Amino acid sequence: MISQIFILSSKGDHLIYKDFRGDVGSDVQNIFYEKVTALTGDQPPIIMSHKGIYFIHIRQGGLYWVATTTTPDSSPFAVIEFLNRFAALLKDYCGSLSEKTVQLNFALIYELLDEVVDYGYIQTTSSDVLKNFIQTEAISSRPFSLFDLSNVGLFGAETQQSKVAPSSAATRPIQCSREQGGKSEIFVDVIERLSVVIGSNGVLMKADVEGEVRVKCYMPSCSEIRIGMNEEFSIGKAQLRGYGAAVHVDECSFHQSVRLDEFDSNRILRLCPSQGEQTVMQYQLSDNLPSVPPFRLFPTIERDNGGRLLMYLKLRCDLPPKSAAIFVCATIPVPKGSLSLSQELSSPDQSAELKLQSRSIQWQIPRFPGGTQLSALFKLEVPGLSSASMLEVGPFVLSFELPKVTITGLQIRFLRISPVQPSPSQRWVRYTTLSDSYAIRL
């Protein structure tokens, strides 16, 4: 049972507040923010309590999404799941999640809260059900501009770039499909998150891949889609069928709306997606990566005659030459008392900075093509540098994004819509691998 729901900005500004039962005071927003900011660490506990009031919150879009309850036996997992689904629902309606989006669409958010929660009891978060009751139209935080002609060629001719879906194409409100005359579009995203631990000798110690197939639908009418996957897609100890390159995962689960009558024989998922975003399949692979990890590090750490700490790092990208990693950021913890940093980088687009507060060096690489190698020489001024303090260096932690790449090799063979729509339908398939935790011991 939920007593209140409110949304706060990262600075504690009150954006949305809804009281369902009247059993908690109106100052809970300030109490919650004071408790969150008083805690040390980057991630405060999801569940907190104060004088019989239980705060359950998540962070999405840089905002705090908070529910309160006074019932000790309320399931926190059910409330967390509701908050995640409600945030996903607002993303479907508004196109994106941000402070500005919430401020522009406060009337829509209050109307949604009236429908999804009744006197503290959760009713539904289905966009198919709610579209029959919600009358308020979403306001986009980035209105269309006639001056945005980046994809238009001479005399309005179509350019090659216009044939590629922009990164913001799937972040518009689901109501836009009605405003645009029933334009049919569907996006299928294959997203994988990679966790890796590599020893100081370069040996892979642990590797995990968590993936999902996510569908975002802008179909004006209910149509069935058929998603064809690799024919040689095996789960667990299933036998390979010899149709092509093997794609193996340890575990796999499906959304309840997915029909699996053609999955065992032809590896085809069938479903009638609702407007908005939903995850139709999740899978996991542990330890047995089908290819080498995307990055390899060759470090040299020593102390020079002047007492400075020298770190010479060579980082190699083992992706195929036609692929590239983007937004690469390496974080290297350094000894306590580090004062200053001088650097020599192998290319001008790189940058590095000593973060005194977190006691680490951050090495930024905007784009890292496959099959190439970059290097950096860092010279640290550390008063009283000793052999013991040199052990405080590391591990080398990477964060990155790999567009058009899946670690498992999972591919979408085809994406079909039936029955055939009277108006042309556009179908987009995108692949992305993100780093969840990529640590290399030094």
Side-chain angles (χ1 to χ4, degrees):
M1 187 185 301
I2 297 174
S3 297
Q4 298 164 324
I5 290 177
F6 54 89
I7 302 174
L8 302 180
S9 71
S10 58
K11 298 180 180 179
D13 298 327
H14 302 178
L15 303 178
I16 298 293
Y17 173 78
K18 182 72 173 179
D19 191 345
F20 296 101
R21 302 184 60 84
D23 55 352
V24 179
S26 59
D27 59 340
V28 290
Q29 301 175 81
N30 295 327
I31 295 173
F32 168 79
Y33 190 73
E34 289 173 2
K35 292 182 70 68
V36 166
T37 53
L39 295 172
T40 58
D42 295 333
Q43 295 185 349
I46 296 175
I47 304 171
M48 298 181 291
S49 63
H50 176 79
K51 296 182 179 180
I53 305 171
Y54 299 92
F55 298 93
I56 304 171
H57 84 282
I58 62 172
R59 285 290 301 272
Q60 286 200 27
L63 305 174
Y64 292 100
W65 306 70
V66 191
T68 66
T69 181
T70 57
T71 309
D73 56 353
S74 295
S75 171
F77 299 104
V79 179
I80 293 169
E81 179 67 16
F82 166 75
L83 290 174
N84 281 301
R85 291 193 181 188
F86 183 65
L89 182 67
L90 290 188
K91 186 177 179 182
D92 287 342
Y93 270 88
C94 302
S96 62
L97 292 180
S98 66
E99 181 177 349
K100 185 177 181 181
T101 301
V102 172
Q103 290 173 341
L104 290 174
N105 294 278
F106 70 93
L108 172 63
I109 295 173
Y110 279 115
E111 188 174 357
L112 285 168
L113 282 173
D114 287 336
E115 298 294 341
V116 299
V117 180
D118 183 17
Y119 196 60
Y121 293 94
I122 301 168
Q123 303 301 307
T124 182
T125 55
S126 170
S127 58
D128 278 348
V129 175
L130 291 169
K131 69 182 180 182
N132 299 317
F133 307 103
I134 302 301
Q135 303 299 322
T136 305
E137 294 288 336
I139 302 173
S140 175
S141 60
R142 290 191 300 178
F144 173 75
S145 174
L146 290 174
F147 298 99
D148 185 11
L149 303 176
S150 57
N151 292 336
V152 179
L154 186 63
F155 304 117
E158 186 184 54
T159 63
Q160 184 66 29
Q161 183 65 25
S162 65
K163 298 178 182 179
V164 180
S167 59
S168 60
T171 58
R172 68 174 190 270
I174 57 176
Q175 293 164 318
C176 285
S177 59
R178 297 196 295 266
E179 298 170 2
Q180 296 173 358
K183 181 180 178 182
S184 297
E185 277 191 312
I186 190 161
F187 296 83
V188 176
D189 290 328
V190 181
I191 302 171
E192 295 186 348
R193 291 175 172 83
L194 176 64
S195 299
V196 164
V197 177
I198 299 176
S200 56
N201 56 357
V203 176
L204 181 64
M205 303 177 63
K206 183 177 177 58
D208 291 300
V209 179
E210 293 184 355
E212 61 184 15
V213 178
R214 193 180 297 169
V215 173
K216 188 153 191 180
C217 181
Y218 296 103
M219 308 278 288
S221 60
C222 182
S223 302
E224 181 185 76
I225 67 169
R226 300 172 77 242
I227 304 174
M229 305 170 66
N230 307 65
E231 292 184 329
E232 199 59 84
F233 179 70
S234 64
I235 304 172
K237 298 180 180 180
Q239 294 287 334
L240 299 176
R241 300 180 292 175
Y243 290 150
V247 176
H248 175 79
V249 298
D250 296 330
E251 298 177 0
C252 190
S253 61
F254 303 92
H255 191 272
Q256 59 185 4
S257 64
V258 177
R259 302 191 190 100
L260 300 174
D261 49 337
E262 294 186 65
F263 183 76
D264 290 335
S265 58
N266 299 314
R267 292 299 187 245
I268 296 175
L269 305 178
R270 296 172 54 205
L271 69 152
C272 294
S274 58
Q275 283 199 355
E277 185 176 317
Q278 65 187 45
T279 300
V280 300
M281 187 180 87
Q282 294 177 309
Y283 55 93
Q284 185 174 359
L285 174 65
S286 298
D287 294 332
N288 297 319
L289 294 183
S291 60
V292 297
F295 293 99
R296 180 77 184 271
L297 179 69
F298 302 92
T300 302
I301 302 174
E302 58 187 12
R303 181 172 51 183
D304 68 358
N305 295 330
R308 293 183 303 179
L309 176 63
L310 302 183
M311 288 190 290
Y312 182 63
L313 307 175
K314 291 193 295 183
L315 185 62
R316 188 179 72 199
C317 182
D318 288 333
L319 293 173
K322 292 184 179 180
S323 301
I326 58 175
F327 309 131
V328 181
C329 178
T331 302
I332 311 110
V334 296
K336 295 178 181 178
S338 299
L339 296 179
S340 62
L341 170 71
S342 60
Q343 54 192 281
E344 297 178 17
L345 305 176
S346 60
S347 63
D349 59 338
Q350 305 174 51
S351 63
E353 182 182 1
L354 175 62
K355 301 285 188 178
L356 295 177
Q357 186 173 4
S358 59
R359 199 164 51 83
S360 64
I361 297 173
Q362 285 194 356
W363 180 17
Q364 305 274 356
I365 306 171
R367 189 176 185 274
F368 201 160
T372 62
Q373 180 174 284
L374 298 175
S375 62
L377 174 61
F378 298 124
K379 302 177 183 179
L380 268 172
E381 293 287 349
V382 186
L385 181 64
S386 63
S387 300
S389 58
M390 289 182 66
L391 297 177
E392 300 177 16
V393 179
F396 184 89
V397 179
L398 275 172
S399 64
F400 52 84
E401 180 179 337
L402 308 180
K404 303 179 184 179
V405 173
T406 56
I407 298 297
T408 60
L410 180 64
Q411 297 287 314
I412 303 298
R413 284 187 292 133
F414 60 80
L415 176 59
R416 297 172 183 164
I417 303 173
S418 60
V420 178
Q421 298 292 311
S423 58
S425 58
Q426 293 182 326
R427 292 159 285 180
W428 310 95
V429 178
R430 302 179 293 189
Y431 305 93
T432 305
T433 295
L434 305 172
S435 60
D436 196 14
S437 173
Y438 198 101
I440 304 174
R441 296 178 179 175
L442 301 178

